Amino acid sequence: MYQFNYERPKTLADAEALLGKADDPKILAGGQTLIPTLKQRLAMPSDVIDIGGIGELDFIRAEGDAVMIGAATRHATVAQSADVKKHNPALAALAGSIGDPAVRHMGTLGGSIANNDPAADYPAACLGLDAKIHTTRRLIEADEFFKGMFETALQDGEIVKEVTFPHPEKAAYMKFPNPASRYAMVGVFVSRGPWGVRVAVTGAGQNGVFRIAEMEEALAKNWSPDAVANIKVPATGLNSDLHGTAEYRAHLVTVMAKRAVAAAG
Amino acid sequence: MSDAASGEGIGQPVRRKEDFRFITGNGHYTDDINRPRQTWAYFLRSPHAHARIKSIDTSAAEAAPGVVAIFTGRHVADDGLGGLICGWTVTSKDGTPMKVGPHPILALDTVRYVGDHVAMVVAETLADARAAAEMIDVDYDALPAAASLSACQNAAAPQVHPEAPRNTCFEWELGNKAETEAAFAKAGRIVKLDLKNNRLIPNAMEPRAALGEFDKGTGIYTLHTTSQNPHVARLVLSAFVGVAPEHKLRVIAPDVGGGFGSKIFIYAEETACVWAAAKVGRPIKWTADRSEAFLSDAHGRDHLSHAELALDKDGKFLALRVKTVANLGAYLSTFSASVPTYLYGTLLSGQYDIPAVYVEVDGVYTHTAPVDAYRGAGRPEATYLVERIVETAARETGIDPAELRRRNYIRTFPHQTPVIMNYDTGDYEASLAAAMEAIDYKGFPARKSEAAKRGKLRGIGFSSYIEACGIAPSAAVGSLGAGVGLWESAEVRVNPTGNVEVLTGSHSHGQGHETTFAQLVASRLGVPLANVEIVHGDTDKVQFGMGTYGSRSGAVGMSAIVKALDKIEAKAKKIAAHLMEAAVEDIVFENGTFTVQGTDKSLAWAELSLAAYTAHGFPSGEIEPGLKEGAFYDPVNFTFPSGCHICEVEIDPDTGVTKIEKFVAVDDFGTVINPMIVEGQVHGGIAQGVGQALLEHGIYDAESGQLITGSYMDYCMPRADDLPSFDLGFTTTICPSNPLGMKGCGEAGAIASPPAIINAVTDALGIRDIEMPATPARVWTALQSATPRAAAE
Ligand SMILES: Cc1cc2nc3c(=O)[nH]c(=O)nc-3n(C[C@H](O)[C@H](O)[C@H](O)COP(=O)(O)OP(=O)(O)OC[C@H]3O[C@@H](n4cnc5c(N)ncnc54)[C@H](O)[C@@H]3O)c2cc1C
């Protein structure tokens, strides 16, 4: 690591003020991505603003037809939340499939989506559930939030406060983990709800999470595994690496989509 | 008390004495040891696989905060320090010795792999050292790299060492070429197979570390380091590198968190730390981080082979011929030349009576990290080749794989193979039969068709393995090119109060010697296990030892203890005879008590121990005071653990995922001292075998020579949920060549399991071969081009 100033504000307002003052600040949440990056000297922030002490960012509330989750809520908390399990079991299961217990007890929802790793799980849930991302400055639709590999709509100094996940009628997430990292090699989130049908894919795309319109249309007509079983996704634009070719990933998208619909019931 | 009654003796599943300190965080690993005025080292490593160093400018870095000193290859050379050595000389077919390029501690003018050592920064803190290292200005002239094993011998390939044209270090052969050719000429059938043995990166839990110190007053250097053989390290650092004379250098390998071979070798980092400690006049600490470990620990395996097996019309093996290209990496590591030759070619007869075997091995240099022994070392490569081609032969001849093996097993012992080894004993059919029973081989077809109904492909695969352990008779290895003898030493010190310290040249870094060795001593002397202390890993305490690798600590290390215990018993009887006024021949020693045969006179162990040190009234000249004996044991043969592993897998054709449904291992290790520890060794070995077969692969970019799998994001270490529950069994034939009848168990799992798994995977898929690791992507890809037998059925 290089040297930096470390701050642990107690309120969002203090955090924003600190972010505004610093030369080249970085927000620290669970640190599961940022700390390894710092240790490998791949980042050199002037200030690290730790939002882990801000109580108002750590909550889960079920209200009306949605679950609101604070940005600093840890994956393990989401996975074990009675509210999430009741209204959105697919989301709880997804959170429980991230990394290992140590990672789940440190890593946060806000950190995951702000980082937007192309193989991360939460982006698939946000896009697949038509989630709303509330920041210190505005509300961003999931469709507008994820901009590409490690890129989001967030501006400098903008903090994710909470994510609103509307309750689905049916939903499931099927993850084919990369054997080494256990991030998603292909993860498919399917849902049906007031927004219609959504099929969101993580892990496969070079530009991160994306939706598959053809599958959504087919499922809108016929919500069954068979409806997507023969829909092939083109391999162009998909990742190809030592863990699998783009063709393999394309194939897995169909397999995981089919299994997700089956699991959603 | 018998061993069973005490619950502590030979054959008892005693809990490991050392685990309490490990699991309560009270172990003392090298990195736990800190010294006053200690400094920290950081190694600047080459970002290039191959480059000429035009210049190194350290001036800015030297002025950086906290920097104590910076050393480059120039300083090392100016100080007259030698390079690292390979302790085994292999001779080529044409009689010439292997072609060895220099292996400097710090690169002089050329770097030869990504991670090669360019400079050492010594600073007040690790952070200071790292920061300063970034300020060193190295002007590289980047050169094309020979990073691909299959292409490195091409005439146009970049050269790693000018000393070795076509990057070929040696062209070795073993066996009888003429007889083999003749057998092939009359063969009824020839089975051919091309195989890759994947490159593995060891990943011991504790990364390598060193703490170098120099005492100005005495001129003595002390090196704490993560070593499997501290005495060998001291010998190499003294006699070859020239850090300090042997009597002025103490090497301590304290608690070591796993080695798997990778900590046998003498590396640049610990050498530089202990050498430079005198230069800076302060202790120097270095601990690798995981990324450095990936780049700079010696890797394992990495072979390309072509094998051909000749059979007669009845399925009897007539001959085996093999051509292998073995990657040695950029430099020869401490024992690297021996691994793809004498630890490999000598095992190619497997468990079979093959009249003729001929193997050629080219050891080649590439611009990659050095490759050396890794759990099994040569023997997994041999077993993989033999058991894959035997299974392939079974499929091509239509003979059941168990039946084909039975027809060819060696059944009379001793058996001289065509490739040096003289097998002493074994019962291969017994372990095959037990394994088939355990896995319910008869029920396999039903399980296969049931799986097919669920859309899954089920396969079964055998591996009848043999390995040579108890490494090794000194005269034998000396005649084959070893620079050392491979005996072991022991010293048994009985204290006046009767408790016992045993000094051994073996080194425990996960094997549980503090328990098994103590079980032997406790059972021989009739003392409680708690009264026995095993001392190892310090060249100041143990006079000399060859260390731990090649499953040798039981068969060789414990045999040395037996010899020392024999001497202790002889002397103790002499003392007892004197004290009880009887003839030595009449003294009986049992369960810790000396009695005079036919009388009620007796003497307890503790009484005798005290008497040995009070020495009151010893007849002068006849009995020396004290009770301490040492012994060196040089084995008369290798030992030959063997057995049969059978694996059953189920493959999901939609995703290519292979799940191991059943794994049976029946092993013959000879005498077992502690079955719980032995089972643990087998579990760990199979886990590593599963890693090799399905998960792990060290990959360099063929063009740039960059290590692609440089972290756990891409290098897939086995996790608990990748593994099935193992079903273990044992059959026993007692090893005739050592006093305890032990054969060794540390490597068997890693040696035997990969071919069993790949035989099962190829059986499920109905294909001839799949490269290891058989990842889901590879399995799926294979399914796209194959017409699976199972699916077609
Ligand atoms: C071993 C391991 C395995 C993992 N496996 C998985 C997996 O299977 N699936 C998966 O999805 N992820 C996985 N992860 C990643 C994990 O989920 C991380 O927790 C996550 O990517 C980042 O969350 P964090 O809270 O740790 O963020 P940090 O590391 O603290 O921060 C990450 C980035 O987000 C920014 N940031 C953090 N919070 C906010 C906020 N509220 N507003 C704006 N910006 C913010 C930071 O500035 C930083 O740039 C794994 C991580 C590890 C170490």
Side-chain angles (χ1 to χ4, degrees):
Chain A
M1 282 190 203
Y2 297 102
Q3 291 212 2
F4 50 78
N5 300 315
Y6 173 78
E7 303 281 357
R8 191 174 163 89
K10 287 265 173 293
T11 66
L12 252 186
D14 287 352
E16 281 198 272
L18 287 163
L19 284 169
K21 268 198 331 224
D23 266 355
D24 184 13
K26 263 280 177 205
I27 298 168
L28 175 71
Q32 296 303 289
T33 297
L34 185 58
I35 299 285
T37 312
L38 293 174
K39 280 171 79 175
Q40 288 178 65
R41 301 186 154 226
L42 298 173
M44 208 166 136
S46 63
D47 296 74
V48 169
I49 317 295
D50 182 350
I51 60 169
I54 303 177
E56 59 194 294
L57 290 179
D58 185 5
F59 64 86
I60 297 178
R61 268 196 311 268
E63 271 175 29
D65 56 1
V67 182
M68 269 76 85
I69 304 180
T73 309
R74 302 182 193 288
H75 308 328
T77 312
V78 176
Q80 285 151 19
S81 156
D83 281 332
V84 182
K85 282 201 228 169
K86 179 173 168 209
H87 298 293
N88 204 335
L91 181 62
L94 175 144
S97 80
I98 297 175
D100 51 49
V103 169
R104 291 196 289 276
H105 281 86
M106 290 300 289
T108 67
L109 169 60
S112 177
I113 63 170
N115 190 52
N116 193 20
D117 189 305
D121 297 300
Y122 266 131
C126 292
L127 199 59
L129 287 164
D130 193 21
K132 321 281 175 220
I133 292 136
H134 303 265
T135 75
T136 40
R137 298 186 189 158
R138 58 198 161 129
L139 183 158
I140 310 174
E141 297 287 339
D143 280 323
E144 305 303 322
F145 185 85
F146 302 103
K147 291 289 183 198
M149 194 194 283
F150 297 107
E151 269 180 51
T152 66
L154 290 173
Q155 300 156 350
D156 283 349
E158 186 172 11
I159 306 176
V160 176
K161 289 199 308 190
E162 75 166 59
V163 182
T164 304
F165 291 99
H167 300 336
E169 291 156 23
K170 289 176 184 292
Y173 178 61
M174 271 300 147
K175 173 176 179 175
F176 188 89
N178 173 315
S181 72
R182 302 259 172 118
Y183 275 72
M185 190 131 111
V186 168
V188 180
F189 201 105
V190 299
S191 77
R192 199 171 77 187
W195 52 82
V197 167
R198 283 193 172 221
V199 177
V201 179
T202 189
Q206 282 168 7
N207 290 316
V209 64
F210 64 93
R211 289 170 59 187
I212 305 177
E214 196 186 346
M215 287 193 180
E216 292 178 354
E217 283 156 25
L219 287 170
K221 287 195 203 108
N222 169 20
W223 180 266
S224 83
D226 289 345
V228 290
N230 293 316
I231 299 181
K232 299 222 180 317
V233 187
T236 42
L238 299 192
N239 288 318
S240 205
D241 57 25
L242 65 101
H243 304 288
T245 58
E247 288 72 26
Y248 179 52
R249 283 184 166 85
H251 166 78
L252 284 178
V253 169
T254 304
V255 174
M256 292 297 121
K258 196 173 79 180
R259 291 183 183 182
V261 177
Chain B
M1 219 177 357
S2 72
D3 287 339
S6 72
E8 296 189 334
I10 290 176
Q12 298 303 308
V14 179
R15 290 224 184 152
R16 302 198 336 160
K17 291 175 79 174
E18 46 272 78
D19 282 348
F20 184 76
R21 87 168 177 277
F22 294 149
I23 63 181
T24 55
N26 287 298
H28 285 284
Y29 297 89
T30 298
D31 190 57
D32 295 325
I33 299 162
N34 291 298
R35 292 287 185 249
R37 300 184 66 244
Q38 174 178 303
T39 62
W40 293 83
Y42 180 78
F43 288 87
L44 180 67
R45 296 177 184 278
S46 169
H48 302 288
H50 188 201
R52 201 150 308 278
I53 299 176
K54 292 201 281 190
S55 65
I56 305 180
D57 180 358
T58 57
S59 51
E62 273 164 58
V67 171
V68 174
I70 297 178
F71 299 95
T72 63
R74 181 53 44 219
H75 296 102
V76 176
D78 288 351
D79 212 36
L81 226 55
L84 298 172
I85 58 144
C86 178
W88 198 302
T89 302
V90 165
T91 305
S92 288
K93 289 173 215 175
D94 64 5
T96 58
M98 63 189 193
K99 301 181 172 65
V100 188
H103 188 178
I105 310 292
L106 296 173
L108 249 188
D109 48 16
T110 307
V111 285
R112 295 188 172 85
Y113 67 98
V114 174
D116 205 353
H117 318 76
V118 175
M120 175 169 73
V121 182
V122 181
E124 298 292 341
T125 67
L126 180 57
D128 286 344
R130 281 190 81 157
E134 279 174 13
M135 297 164 74
I136 296 176
D137 187 6
V138 186
D139 189 2
Y140 290 108
D141 182 6
L143 300 169
S148 148
L149 178 57
S150 57
C152 70
Q153 288 180 296
N154 295 347
Q159 287 293 292
V160 182
H161 295 285
E163 293 83 355
R166 285 179 44 254
N167 291 320
T168 305
C169 176
F170 54 77
E171 291 170 302
W172 178 83
E173 66 177 350
L174 183 66
N176 189 319
K177 188 175 182 181
E179 276 175 35
T180 305
E181 299 304 332
F184 270 90
K186 63 172 206 263
R189 183 188 285 267
I190 296 173
V191 177
K192 301 181 181 180
L193 200 57
D194 288 299
L195 292 170
K196 276 192 191 173
N197 205 290
N198 43 327
R199 190 182 186 106
L200 302 173
I201 304 180
N203 276 296
M205 199 179 287
E206 178 206 25
R208 289 190 294 118
L211 172 61
E213 293 172 80
F214 177 69
D215 184 323
K216 234 178 173 170
T218 59
I220 291 176
Y221 290 78
T222 302
L223 172 64
H224 281 83
T225 189
T226 47
S227 174
Q228 298 178 218
N229 44 350
H231 290 88
V232 178
R234 183 178 67 161
L235 179 63
V236 170
L237 292 176
S238 297
F240 297 95
V241 184
V243 170
E246 231 176 331
H247 66 300
K248 292 287 185 188
L249 175 59
R250 177 181 184 186
V251 178
I252 303 170
D255 285 335
V256 173
F260 311 108
S262 70
K263 291 173 181 166
I264 299 172
F265 323 123
I266 291 85
Y267 290 90
E269 292 90 350
E270 65 260 24
T271 307
C273 284
V274 69
W275 166 73
K279 301 273 172 265
V280 302
R282 293 170 65 179
I284 302 177
K285 164 77 81 66
W286 169 78
T287 302
D289 63 24
R290 189 56 66 183
S291 310
E292 282 185 286
F294 269 102
L295 288 176
S296 68
D297 289 1
H299 295 178
R301 316 249 154 71
D302 211 355
H303 284 194
L304 290 177
S305 293
H306 175 75
E308 299 186 4
L309 180 66
L311 300 89
D312 72 12
K313 60 177 186 356
D314 301 321
K316 179 81 193 68
F317 303 157
L318 301 175
L320 176 70
R321 72 180 160 210
V322 176
K323 172 76 206 250
T324 293
V325 183
N327 202 342
L328 302 167
Y331 300 101
L332 289 189
S333 170
T334 315
F335 286 108
S336 63
S338 67
V339 176
T341 51
Y342 291 103
L343 293 176
Y344 167 69
T346 52
L347 270 303
L348 284 171
S349 193
Q351 295 187 346
Y352 310 107
D353 184 6
I354 311 181
V357 177
Y358 178 66
V359 51
E360 295 170 281
V361 179
D362 287 3
V364 299
Y365 292 111
T366 57
H367 288 111
T368 63
V371 180
D372 206 325
Y374 174 62
R375 200 171 192 170
R379 292 150 293 166
E381 295 90 312
T383 303
Y384 187 67
L385 184 136
V386 172
E387 290 305 293
R388 288 283 297 113
I389 199 162
V390 167
E391 197 93 352
T392 305
R395 290 174 193 165
E396 292 190 358
T397 56
I399 303 172
D400 178 88
E403 172 56 22
L404 183 65
R405 285 176 170 85
R406 271 192 221 104
R407 282 187 203 173
N408 288 284
Y409 278 152
I410 294 161
R411 290 167 193 282
T412 51
F413 296 91
H415 174 88
Q416 178 62 51
T417 71
V419 279
I420 298 179
M421 290 299 172
N422 192 287
Y423 299 169
D424 50 9
T425 182
D427 186 348
Y428 309 139
E429 174 121 28
S431 43
L432 175 81
M436 288 171 73
E437 177 75 26
I439 206 153
D440 180 22
Y441 186 64
K442 285 203 202 82
F444 176 72
R447 294 194 293 277
K448 189 180 173 77
S449 52
E450 185 276 328
K453 287 196 194 101
R454 289 181 283 112
K456 299 288 197 288
L457 309 172
R458 201 158 174 123
I460 194 163
F462 288 74
S463 170
S464 277
Y465 77 98
I466 187 157
E467 51 165 331
C469 292
I471 289 173
S474 299
V477 295
S479 75
L480 303 178
V484 289
L486 289 172
W487 44 264
E488 196 47 88
S489 77
E491 188 176 311
V492 176
R493 297 177 180 171
V494 179
N495 293 324
T497 52
N499 50 37
V500 188
E501 289 161 53
V502 178
L503 285 68
T504 169
S506 298
H507 186 275
S508 187
H509 35 277
Q511 293 84 349
H513 294 173
E514 290 171 38
T515 308
T516 44
F517 287 19
Q519 282 178 262
L520 164 65
V521 176
S523 117
R524 265 299 287 274
L525 301 182
V527 299
L529 200 65
N531 290 5
V532 183
E533 195 70 21
I534 305 299
V535 179
H536 63 95
D538 183 343
T539 59
D540 259 15
K541 293 183 181 164
V542 179
Q543 189 241 328
F544 207 93
M546 294 312 298
T548 288
Y549 39 83
S551 303
R552 67 191 303 275
S553 298
V556 189
M558 288 179 87
S559 295
I561 298 176
V562 170
K563 266 185 88 174
L565 286 169
D566 289 344
K567 295 185 191 176
I568 288 280
E569 187 174 324
K571 171 148 188 206
K573 279 184 170 165
K574 225 163 129 182
I575 298 171
H578 165 71
L579 293 174
M580 295 190 283
E581 298 173 329
V584 175
E585 301 74 49
D586 292 337
I587 303 293
V588 178
F589 180 50
E590 240 174 36
N591 299 328
T593 307
F594 298 85
T595 50
V596 182
Q597 209 163 20
T599 74
D600 58 359
K601 283 191 194 170
S602 74
L603 201 59
W605 172 255
E607 293 174 282
L608 183 123
S609 307
L610 187 60
Y613 287 89
T614 53
H616 293 158
F618 279 11
S620 65
E622 263 177 57
I623 305 181
E624 276 180 28
L627 197 49
K628 179 189 101 168
E629 298 289 347
F632 285 72
Y633 173 80
D634 197 354
V636 296
N637 193 358
F638 290 82
T639 64
F640 299 96
S642 65
C644 180
H645 290 204
I646 309 180
C647 175
E648 203 168 308
V649 299
E650 210 166 272
I651 290 171
D652 176 355
D654 281 347
T655 59
V657 169
T658 298
K659 182 156 183 280
I660 298 178
E661 295 291 343
K662 287 170 173 244
F663 197 102
V664 169
V666 177
D667 295 297
D668 177 357
F669 296 140
T671 304
V672 168
I673 306 290
N674 184 322
M676 186 190 68
I677 288 180
V678 167
E679 287 181 9
Q681 290 290 319
V682 177
H683 285 188
I686 299 173
Q688 277 172 307
V690 172
Q692 166 152 37
L694 299 179
L695 308 167
E696 299 180 51
H697 197 182
I699 303 174
Y700 282 92
D701 183 83
E703 289 297 313
S704 69
Q706 293 294 326
L707 179 64
I708 300 176
T709 53
S711 82
Y712 294 136
M713 294 297 282
D714 291 308
Y715 189 86
C716 186
M717 286 296 283
R719 294 163 167 93
D721 66 354
D722 291 314
L723 304 170
S725 193
F726 308 117
D727 184 353
L728 306 190
F730 298 95
T731 55
T732 304
T733 59
I734 298 296
C735 176
S737 71
N738 62 60
L740 291 167
M742 301 175 73
K743 297 185 182 181
C745 67
E747 297 160 292
I751 291 170
S753 56
I757 297 162
I758 296 299
N759 284 339
V761 170
T762 49
D763 179 49
L765 297 176
I767 59 175
R768 274 175 67 83
D769 188 35
I770 188 162
E771 271 179 36
M772 295 192 290
T775 60
R778 278 191 175 153
V779 169
W780 180 80
T781 306
L783 275 167
Q784 302 321 297
S785 46
T787 332
R789 266 189 330 215
E793 267 167 21

